[in-house]
Amino acid sequence: MMASNTAVKTNTAITVAYGDGIGPEIMSAVIHILKEAGARLDIEEIEIGEKIYNKGISAGIEPAAWESLRRTKVFLKAPITTPQGGGFKSLNVTTRATLGLYANVRPCVSYYPYIKTKHPVMDVVIVRENEEDLYCGIEYRQTEQVTQALKLITRPGSEKIVRYAFEYARKNNRKKVTCFMKDNILKETDGLFHKIFDEIAKDYPDITNEHWIVDIGAAKLADTPENFDVIVMPNLYGDILSDVSAQIAGSVGLAGSANIGDKCAMFEAIHGSAPRRAGQNLANPSGLLLGAIMMLVHINQPDVAEQVHNAWLKTIEDGIHTYDIYQDGISTEKVGTKEFSNAVVARLGQKPQKLKPVSYQSAPEGFSESKLSVQPRSQKALVGVDVYVDYPDILPQELGSKLEQLNGDGLKLTMISNRGTKVWPHSFPETFCTDHWRCRFMSTEGGSVTHHQVVSLLQRFEQAKLDFIKTEHLCTFDGQKGYSLSQGE
Ligand code: NAD
């Protein structure tokens, strides 16, 4: 990653994919603008998407293309069409995970009055964690009735994204970083994200910090986005709310996005390949262009980024609009993709008069090596085990009686829950139960237990012909519980 304050004057190698649907048209328009603006680029083209999927390559990208990406470390990507049906992997998810692109950055800006929006004053940057949470995609069907997905939130993953958000705020002269999470319910996972946010915020006393539970935070964001600046969040909330933010700013078709890692980065529009609009010179290249501008800043060509961005703002302000943002009375000319790019080229060197011009004099926004904290290892103790059982058509009391017979060897049944709600030793007849039971065994002495005790408990399950489907070990870390209690426990 670049680190100097002076713009790079030599060419930078980048990898470009023209994608599917409207992809080739909008990428040609963007490359045309970048070249005319004097961007110092050596372009390596790769093929991704439909054609590659159709060759039977389930990842949608060929090995030679990975070599280019690993060599240039900078990827400008047009949208692709993801084939319907099973067997195909999402190229975006694969690229993010393979290249370690942990931060997804989406600026959502309104351009009132030139682009219709309910929020004339909006300039929000969503910083979304990109590698973990439910997007690890670890899912199981465990019983006839019950499926499960694992939500993984890690200390290093959370530290990287939260620190990135504060560094981004500082480098871009932003004043506030807000954290969205749901730790009133998810005390371990989102609780960790929140804790790390509070820890890291202390290193940035110059930047205001605040946090909201994601439900009310999302409502406030949709209602009064002008009160937000940079917002950092775990993957799923970020995925949903960055689309909401882009849409309420004016249009998802206008937003660009950067996927940043310590070694590589990928830049794109947030919209898809819009196949119905393909090949008609209709599509708006603005989302991809704004992604490409983030790329120019990243590869330390802020001079070109600024010129292109201001020319684009002037084009929007002059009312030269593609069909998707055209409005009678405000727009002056309805243009196609090519004509739009020519209009931007014609305005290179100009600044907008009404919209706020941008300035990119500072160092690139790329984040240098992640500074992960060094945590002393906690004292970990195994204190019990949750054994999950598949048992259809049984009442909690009956199951409790069966399982109490397995007590012994220093372990005893303390609780059974169904979908997180305690149903044994006491239950309400109103509580709906599925065939998926969590059966908690703790040390009879109240102290730690051994793996041997857990294995012998499972042997007793097997002898009793009970269908155990998984176990979760209950540990404490420096005496603090590392597991949730059930509702009502
Ligand atoms: P989409 O974003 O492609 O299009 C939705 C609608 O938005 C289009 O019908 C069009 O009216 C409009 N639109 C989108 N971009 C536009 C532009 N630049 N200019 C003008 N109008 C535009 O979403 P979709 O139809 O749900 O998905 C189409 C395909 O794109 C699917 O195969 C999907 O999997 C894929 N997709 C790819 C990416 C990516 O590569 N990053 C992202 C999202 C969807």
Side-chain angles (χ1 to χ4, degrees), residues 155 158-159 161-163 165-166 177-181 183 190-205 207-213 232 373 375:
R155 174 169 269 280
S158 305
E159 279 192 15
I161 194 66
V162 171
R163 196 167 284 287
F166 278 100
V177 178
T178 305
C179 173
F180 282 2
M181 35 71 225
D183 64 345
D190 283 18
L192 177 63
F193 195 86
H194 187 171
K195 180 170 178 264
I196 288 169
F197 178 80
D198 288 345
E199 280 172 21
I200 289 179
K202 291 197 186 95
D203 294 343
Y204 300 85
I207 296 165
T208 306
N209 70 82
E210 63 172 14
H211 53 82
W212 291 103
I213 299 293
V232 63
S373 70
Q375 298 286 321

Coordinates of all heavy atoms in Angstrom, one line a residue, residues 155 158-159 161-163 165-166 177-181 183 190-205 207-213 232 373 375:
R155 N -11.9 -10.9 17.2 CA -11.1 -9.7 17.7 C -10.3 -9.1 16.6 O -10.4 -7.9 16.3 CB -10.3 -10.0 19.0 CG -9.4 -8.9 19.4 CD -8.8 -9.0 20.8 NE -9.6 -8.5 21.8 CZ -9.7 -7.3 22.2 NH1 -9.1 -6.3 21.5 NH2 -10.5 -6.9 23.2
S158 N -12.5 -7.4 13.9 CA -13.2 -6.2 14.4 C -12.2 -5.1 14.6 O -12.5 -3.9 14.2 CB -14.0 -6.5 15.7 OG -14.8 -7.6 15.5
E159 N -11.0 -5.4 15.1 CA -10.0 -4.3 15.3 C -9.7 -3.7 14.0 O -9.5 -2.5 13.8 CB -8.8 -4.9 15.9 CG -8.9 -5.1 17.4 CD -7.5 -5.4 18.1 OE1 -6.5 -5.2 17.5 OE2 -7.6 -5.8 19.2
I161 N -11.4 -3.5 11.1 CA -12.4 -2.6 10.5 C -12.6 -1.4 11.3 O -12.8 -0.3 10.7 CB -13.7 -3.4 10.2 CG1 -14.6 -2.7 9.3 CG2 -14.4 -3.8 11.5 CD1 -14.1 -2.6 7.9
V162 N -12.6 -1.5 12.6 CA -12.9 -0.3 13.4 C -11.8 0.7 13.3 O -12.0 1.9 13.1 CB -13.2 -0.7 14.9 CG1 -13.2 0.6 15.7 CG2 -14.5 -1.5 15.0
R163 N -10.5 0.2 13.3 CA -9.4 1.1 13.1 C -9.4 1.7 11.8 O -9.1 2.9 11.6 CB -8.0 0.3 13.4 CG -6.9 1.3 13.6 CD -5.7 0.6 14.2 NE -5.7 0.3 15.6 CZ -5.7 1.1 16.6 NH1 -5.5 2.4 16.4 NH2 -5.7 0.7 17.9
A165 N -12.0 2.5 10.0 CA -13.0 3.5 10.0 C -12.5 4.8 10.6 O -12.7 5.9 10.1 CB -14.2 3.1 10.7
F166 N -11.7 4.7 11.7 CA -11.2 5.9 12.4 C -10.1 6.5 11.5 O -10.0 7.7 11.4 CB -10.7 5.6 13.8 CG -11.8 5.6 14.8 CD1 -12.4 4.4 15.2 CD2 -12.3 6.8 15.3 CE1 -13.5 4.4 16.1 CE2 -13.4 6.8 16.2 CZ -14.0 5.6 16.6
V177 N -17.4 9.1 14.0 CA -17.5 7.7 13.6 C -18.6 7.1 14.5 O -18.5 7.2 15.7 CB -16.2 6.9 13.7 CG1 -16.5 5.5 13.3 CG2 -15.1 7.5 12.8
T178 N -19.6 6.5 13.9 CA -20.7 5.9 14.6 C -20.6 4.4 14.4 O -20.3 3.9 13.3 CB -22.1 6.4 14.1 OG1 -22.1 7.8 14.1 CG2 -23.2 5.8 14.8
C179 N -20.9 3.6 15.5 CA -20.9 2.2 15.4 C -22.3 1.7 15.5 O -23.1 2.1 16.4 CB -20.1 1.6 16.5 SG -20.1 -0.1 16.7
F180 N -22.8 0.8 14.6 CA -24.1 0.2 14.6 C -23.8 -1.3 15.0 O -23.0 -2.0 14.4 CB -24.8 0.2 13.3 CG -25.5 1.5 12.9 CD1 -25.4 2.6 13.7 CD2 -26.2 1.6 11.7 CE1 -26.0 3.8 13.4 CE2 -26.8 2.8 11.4 CZ -26.7 3.9 12.2
M181 N -24.5 -1.8 16.0 CA -24.5 -3.2 16.3 C -25.7 -3.6 17.1 O -26.6 -2.7 17.3 CB -23.2 -3.7 17.0 CG -22.6 -2.7 17.9 SD -23.6 -2.5 19.4 CE -23.7 -0.8 19.6
D183 N -25.9 -5.4 20.4 CA -25.4 -6.1 21.5 C -26.3 -6.2 22.7 O -26.0 -6.8 23.7 CB -24.0 -5.6 22.0 CG -24.1 -4.2 22.5 OD1 -25.1 -3.5 22.2 OD2 -23.1 -3.7 23.1
D190 N -21.8 -9.3 18.8 CA -21.8 -7.9 18.7 C -21.3 -7.1 19.9 O -20.8 -6.0 19.8 CB -23.3 -7.4 18.4 CG -23.7 -7.7 16.9 OD1 -23.0 -8.6 16.3 OD2 -24.7 -7.2 16.4
G191 N -21.4 -7.8 21.0 CA -20.8 -7.2 22.3 C -19.3 -7.0 22.1 O -18.7 -6.0 22.5
L192 N -18.6 -8.0 21.5 CA -17.1 -7.9 21.2 C -16.9 -6.7 20.2 O -16.0 -5.9 20.4 CB -16.6 -9.2 20.6 CG -15.1 -9.2 20.2 CD1 -14.2 -9.0 21.5 CD2 -14.7 -10.5 19.5
F193 N -17.7 -6.6 19.2 CA -17.5 -5.5 18.2 C -17.6 -4.2 18.9 O -16.8 -3.3 18.7 CB -18.6 -5.7 17.1 CG -18.3 -4.9 15.9 CD1 -17.5 -5.4 14.9 CD2 -18.8 -3.6 15.7 CE1 -17.2 -4.7 13.7 CE2 -18.6 -2.9 14.5 CZ -17.8 -3.4 13.5
H194 N -18.6 -4.1 19.8 CA -18.9 -2.8 20.5 C -17.7 -2.5 21.4 O -17.2 -1.4 21.5 CB -20.2 -2.9 21.3 CG -20.6 -1.6 21.9 ND1 -21.8 -1.5 22.5 CD2 -20.0 -0.5 22.1 CE1 -21.9 -0.3 23.0 NE2 -20.8 0.4 22.8
K195 N -17.2 -3.5 22.1 CA -16.1 -3.3 23.1 C -14.9 -2.8 22.4 O -14.2 -1.9 22.8 CB -15.9 -4.7 23.8 CG -14.8 -4.7 24.8 CD -14.8 -6.1 25.5 CE -13.7 -6.2 26.5 NZ -12.5 -6.9 26.1
I196 N -14.6 -3.4 21.2 CA -13.4 -3.1 20.4 C -13.6 -1.6 19.9 O -12.6 -0.8 19.9 CB -13.2 -4.1 19.3 CG1 -12.6 -5.4 20.0 CG2 -12.2 -3.6 18.3 CD1 -12.6 -6.6 19.1
F197 N -14.8 -1.3 19.5 CA -15.1 0.1 19.0 C -14.7 1.1 20.2 O -14.0 2.1 19.9 CB -16.6 0.2 18.6 CG -16.9 1.6 18.2 CD1 -16.6 2.1 16.9 CD2 -17.5 2.5 19.1 CE1 -16.9 3.4 16.5 CE2 -17.9 3.8 18.7 CZ -17.5 4.2 17.4
D198 N -15.2 0.8 21.4 CA -14.9 1.7 22.5 C -13.4 1.7 22.8 O -12.9 2.8 23.1 CB -15.6 1.2 23.8 CG -17.2 1.5 23.7 OD1 -17.6 2.2 22.8 OD2 -17.9 0.9 24.5
E199 N -12.7 0.6 22.7 CA -11.3 0.6 23.0 C -10.5 1.5 21.9 O -9.7 2.3 22.3 CB -10.7 -0.9 22.8 CG -10.9 -1.8 24.0 CD -10.6 -3.2 23.7 OE1 -9.8 -3.5 22.7 OE2 -11.0 -4.1 24.3
I200 N -10.8 1.3 20.7 CA -10.1 1.9 19.6 C -10.4 3.4 19.5 O -9.6 4.2 19.2 CB -10.3 1.2 18.2 CG1 -9.6 -0.1 18.3 CG2 -9.8 2.0 17.0 CD1 -9.7 -1.0 17.1
A201 N -11.7 3.8 19.8 CA -12.1 5.2 19.8 C -11.2 6.0 20.7 O -11.0 7.2 20.4 CB -13.6 5.3 20.2
K202 N -10.7 5.4 21.8 CA -9.9 6.2 22.7 C -8.6 6.7 22.1 O -8.0 7.7 22.5 CB -9.5 5.3 23.9 CG -10.6 5.0 24.8 CD -10.1 4.4 26.2 CE -11.3 4.0 27.1 NZ -11.5 2.5 27.0
D203 N -8.1 6.0 21.0 CA -6.9 6.4 20.3 C -7.2 7.6 19.4 O -6.2 8.1 18.7 CB -6.4 5.2 19.4 CG -5.9 4.1 20.3 OD1 -5.6 4.3 21.5 OD2 -5.7 3.0 19.7
Y204 N -8.4 8.0 19.2 CA -8.8 9.1 18.3 C -9.6 10.1 19.0 O -10.8 10.4 18.7 CB -9.5 8.5 17.1 CG -8.7 7.5 16.3 CD1 -8.7 6.1 16.7 CD2 -8.0 7.8 15.2 CE1 -8.0 5.2 16.0 CE2 -7.2 6.9 14.5 CZ -7.2 5.6 14.9 OH -6.5 4.7 14.2
P205 N -8.9 10.8 19.9 CA -9.7 11.8 20.7 C -10.2 13.0 19.9 O -11.1 13.7 20.2 CB -8.7 12.3 21.8 CG -7.3 11.9 21.2 CD -7.5 10.7 20.4
I207 N -11.7 12.7 17.1 CA -12.9 12.3 16.3 C -14.0 11.9 17.3 O -13.8 11.1 18.2 CB -12.6 11.2 15.4 CG1 -11.6 11.7 14.3 CG2 -13.8 10.6 14.7 CD1 -10.9 10.6 13.6
T208 N -15.2 12.5 17.1 CA -16.4 12.1 18.0 C -16.8 10.7 17.7 O -16.7 10.3 16.6 CB -17.6 13.1 17.7 OG1 -17.1 14.4 17.8 CG2 -18.7 12.8 18.6
N209 N -17.1 10.0 18.7 CA -17.6 8.6 18.5 C -19.0 8.4 19.2 O -19.2 9.1 20.2 CB -16.6 7.6 19.0 CG -16.5 7.5 20.5 OD1 -17.3 6.9 21.2 ND2 -15.5 8.2 21.0
E210 N -19.8 7.6 18.6 CA -21.1 7.3 19.2 C -21.5 5.9 18.7 O -21.0 5.4 17.8 CB -22.2 8.3 18.9 CG -22.4 8.3 17.4 CD -23.6 9.2 17.0 OE1 -24.1 10.0 17.8 OE2 -24.0 9.1 15.8
H211 N -22.5 5.3 19.4 CA -23.0 4.0 19.0 C -24.5 3.9 19.1 O -25.1 4.5 20.0 CB -22.3 2.8 19.7 CG -22.4 3.0 21.2 ND1 -23.5 2.6 21.9 CD2 -21.5 3.5 22.1 CE1 -23.3 2.8 23.2 NE2 -22.1 3.4 23.3
W212 N -25.1 3.1 18.2 CA -26.5 2.9 18.2 C -26.8 1.4 18.0 O -26.1 0.8 17.3 CB -27.2 3.7 17.1 CG -27.2 5.2 17.2 CD1 -26.4 6.0 16.5 CD2 -28.0 6.0 18.0 NE1 -26.7 7.3 16.9 CE2 -27.7 7.3 17.8 CE3 -29.1 5.6 18.9 CZ2 -28.3 8.3 18.5 CZ3 -29.7 6.7 19.6 CH2 -29.3 8.0 19.4
I213 N -27.8 1.0 18.7 CA -28.3 -0.4 18.4 C -28.8 -0.3 16.9 O -29.5 0.7 16.5 CB -29.5 -0.8 19.3 CG1 -29.0 -0.8 20.8 CG2 -30.1 -2.1 18.9 CD1 -28.0 -1.9 21.1
V232 N -19.5 2.6 11.0 CA -18.8 1.3 10.9 C -19.7 0.2 11.4 O -20.4 0.4 12.4 CB -17.5 1.3 11.6 CG1 -17.6 1.6 13.1 CG2 -16.7 0.1 11.3
S373 N -3.9 -5.2 18.3 CA -3.4 -5.1 19.7 C -2.8 -6.5 20.1 O -3.2 -7.5 19.5 CB -4.6 -4.8 20.6 OG -5.5 -5.9 20.7
Q375 N -2.9 -8.9 23.0 CA -3.7 -9.2 24.2 C -3.1 -10.3 25.0 O -2.6 -11.3 24.4 CB -5.1 -9.7 23.8 CG -6.0 -8.7 23.0 CD -6.5 -7.6 23.8 OE1 -6.9 -7.8 25.0 NE2 -6.5 -6.4 23.3

